[in-house]
Amino acid sequence: MTTAPETAPDTTVARTGPLADLRVVEMGQLLAGPFCGQLLADFGAEVIKLEAPGTGDPMRQWGREKPYGKSLWWPVVARNKKSVTCNMRTPDGQELARDIISRSDIVVENFRPGTLERWNLGFDELRADNPGLIMARVSGYGQTGPYSTRAGYGSIGEAMGGIRYVTGDPDNAPSRAGISLGDSLAAVFATIGVLTALHSRSVTGRGQLVDAAIYESVLAMMESMLPEWAVAGYQRERTGSVLPNVSPSNVYPTRGGEMILIAANQDTVFARLAAVMGRDDLVSMPRFADHAARGENMVELDDIIAAWTADLETDELLEILHAGGVPAGRIYTARDMFDDPHFAARDAIVRLAHRDFGEFPTHNVFPKLSDTPGAVRHLGPELGEHNDEIYRGLLGLSDERTADLAARSII
């Protein structure tokens, strides 16, 4: 465990990046909305996160491992943001939120549809004061339709969107990825929507609503699944570590007991694999001659390849495959990522000072822009850390007013 630094890191680092002229109000919690806010903040947007006084976003407590009793997830998903406490369930809190939003470009939220309307913070009301406002609303089922008011978590969206059914071993119940895939996809699509709406605003001068449903974000990733059923009557099923009729593309053993991935299903790449295996004859065999034939005979082909890989040490095998132009690699854990020279060369992992954890590693901003890159400027803030900056600085509230609001647990 790292040693905590003697002084807290500076979270007032100047914003840079292509979105540095934008102000975002994040009113969501957990992951789907906040990840959208993180992506915008990574590229320089000023993201003001409104949190409930006293408790804040539940992400402050989430995560399996909690050194010092603190979440390791919060510093990541809240990085580059400002934390302001605001009880939006009260009229005074709603007024404060409206005042901040009137001075902002974007709102991101992921409450159940109808919640903001009950708080007098619906899009139509907010846009009346700020015609250029863009609001990204992330929810399980979207803002319209018969399911819109249902409670919706990422896992339900993954199931409804189709990815759970096709994930895992065919002999077992549907599996899930070890990450919050549905929430993250919805956040990414919400971000795409926000950036698209910003471009539209540059032409029309008007903002708009971005409606990002988790289930539709998952559905958008499901390739040709719908026409396969509707046109061909084919239902995709769980297939474990392979894709049906895509071969060779699987996990193979090595002499050291490790497993590596080899993906050589394209005709030219399969020819290169056959060459490094010393089995050029495989290419001329009718049952392996093209993509369709290899797909039909994938079990036999996988057995042939596995027999070859099992006689070679992992490093030797990968050196042969890479030299021969065959896509292959280890199945990485976090430990592998820290040790990998390619991760280091591309600065895929950055390290910042954290007030509790000391040196704190996290994934870097992505994608990489050549002229206006994003940056991780600071890690997740303390609850209400930026109250004075926003309430006194941005809104111009007096000391007496802020003291009264704090005394009544409005902020």
Side-chain angles (χ1 to χ4, degrees):
M1 184 177 295
T2 55
T3 302
E6 294 182 2
T7 58
D10 180 10
T11 60
T12 62
V13 180
R15 290 181 294 112
T16 59
L19 304 183
D21 61 325
L22 298 173
R23 178 175 293 133
V24 180
V25 176
E26 181 188 300
M27 298 195 293
Q29 59 183 13
L30 298 177
L31 190 59
F35 186 39
C36 175
Q38 178 203 313
L39 295 175
L40 296 171
D42 280 350
F43 285 98
E46 179 187 20
V47 176
I48 301 171
K49 182 174 181 63
L50 302 185
E51 301 185 75
T55 57
D57 191 323
M59 289 299 296
R60 290 180 176 275
Q61 286 79 44
W62 278 35
R64 179 173 176 174
E65 300 298 325
K66 290 195 274 190
Y68 307 108
K70 299 292 185 72
S71 168
L72 292 171
W73 203 342
W74 173 256
V76 178
V77 74
R79 70 191 194 186
N80 293 331
K81 300 178 185 178
K82 297 176 179 178
S83 173
V84 171
T85 50
C86 180
N87 185 351
M88 291 181 287
R89 291 175 170 81
T90 66
D92 283 341
Q94 294 158 13
E95 181 181 356
L96 291 172
R98 280 193 296 271
D99 286 348
I100 297 173
I101 292 168
S102 70
R103 296 165 168 81
S104 302
D105 300 278
I106 301 160
V107 170
V108 177
E109 67 95 9
N110 65 312
F111 297 112
R112 190 184 300 191
T115 300
L116 290 188
E117 284 73 16
R118 291 196 303 274
W119 294 347
N120 303 305
L121 295 170
F123 178 60
D124 290 338
E125 184 172 354
L126 295 174
R127 183 164 63 170
D129 296 330
N130 185 355
L133 182 68
I134 294 165
M135 176 180 276
R137 308 194 72 170
V138 187
S139 61
Y141 305 99
Q143 300 299 308
T144 61
Y147 301 163
S148 60
T149 57
R150 291 181 179 179
Y153 266 25
S155 56
I156 308 304
E158 293 168 19
M160 187 174 174
I163 200 166
R164 285 292 186 101
Y165 185 80
V166 298
T167 302
D169 188 90
D171 296 326
N172 296 319
S175 299
R176 67 163 296 162
I179 57 171
S180 303
L181 186 61
D183 289 318
S184 298
L185 284 174
V188 171
F189 279 107
T191 305
I192 293 171
V194 166
L195 298 178
T196 304
L198 282 168
H199 177 73
S200 176
R201 190 180 73 173
S202 71
V203 177
T204 67
R206 289 186 59 79
Q208 59 184 296
L209 180 66
V210 177
D211 183 352
I214 296 174
Y215 88 95
E216 286 173 322
S217 300
V218 173
L219 180 63
M221 307 300 294
M222 295 310 294
E223 302 173 345
S224 57
M225 181 189 73
L226 294 177
E228 286 170 0
W229 170 254
V231 178
Y234 172 73
Q235 172 62 56
R236 289 200 190 192
E237 301 289 343
R238 292 182 293 284
T239 55
S241 63
V242 301
L243 286 175
N245 302 318
V246 177
S247 180
S249 183
N250 206 342
V251 179
Y252 302 95
T254 70
R255 183 190 295 171
E258 294 182 290
M259 304 291 286
I260 68 163
L261 274 166
I262 299 176
N265 47 289
Q266 188 177 350
D267 288 350
T268 54
V269 182
F270 176 66
R272 294 200 292 267
L273 173 61
V276 300
M277 291 175 62
R279 292 293 309 272
D280 289 309
D281 59 304
L282 294 174
V283 178
S284 60
M285 293 181 181
R287 62 187 185 278
F288 304 137
D290 57 28
H291 179 80
R294 290 192 297 275
E296 293 176 2
N297 298 281
M298 63 189 309
V299 174
E300 180 185 0
L301 183 55
D302 279 343
D303 288 343
I304 293 171
I305 297 170
W308 174 68
T309 63
D311 279 340
L312 296 168
E313 296 291 344
T314 303
D315 289 342
E316 179 188 6
L317 175 59
L318 289 173
E319 184 176 345
I320 292 171
L321 291 167
H322 294 156
V326 179
R330 286 182 167 86
I331 302 170
Y332 275 21
T333 64
R335 178 183 297 176
D336 298 318
M337 296 175 189
F338 283 110
D339 293 336
D340 189 279
H342 192 76
F343 277 65
R346 287 179 55 83
D347 295 320
I349 299 172
V350 293
R351 293 168 171 81
L352 287 83
H354 188 276
R355 56 177 51 82
D356 296 310
F357 305 126
E359 184 182 84
F360 189 96
T362 181
H363 54 276
N364 207 345
V365 176
F366 186 82
K368 298 178 181 294
L369 276 63
S370 61
D371 294 340
T372 57
V376 183
R377 300 178 301 280
H378 62 80
L379 299 168
E382 293 294 293
L383 183 62
E385 183 173 333
H386 300 91
N387 279 9
D388 282 351
E389 176 185 341
I390 301 305
Y391 288 133
R392 289 188 171 91
L394 179 63
L395 300 189
L397 301 186
S398 66
D399 291 348
E400 293 78 9
R401 175 64 170 155
T402 54
D404 172 65
L405 291 169
R408 294 188 290 122
S409 299
I410 305 299
I411 64 174

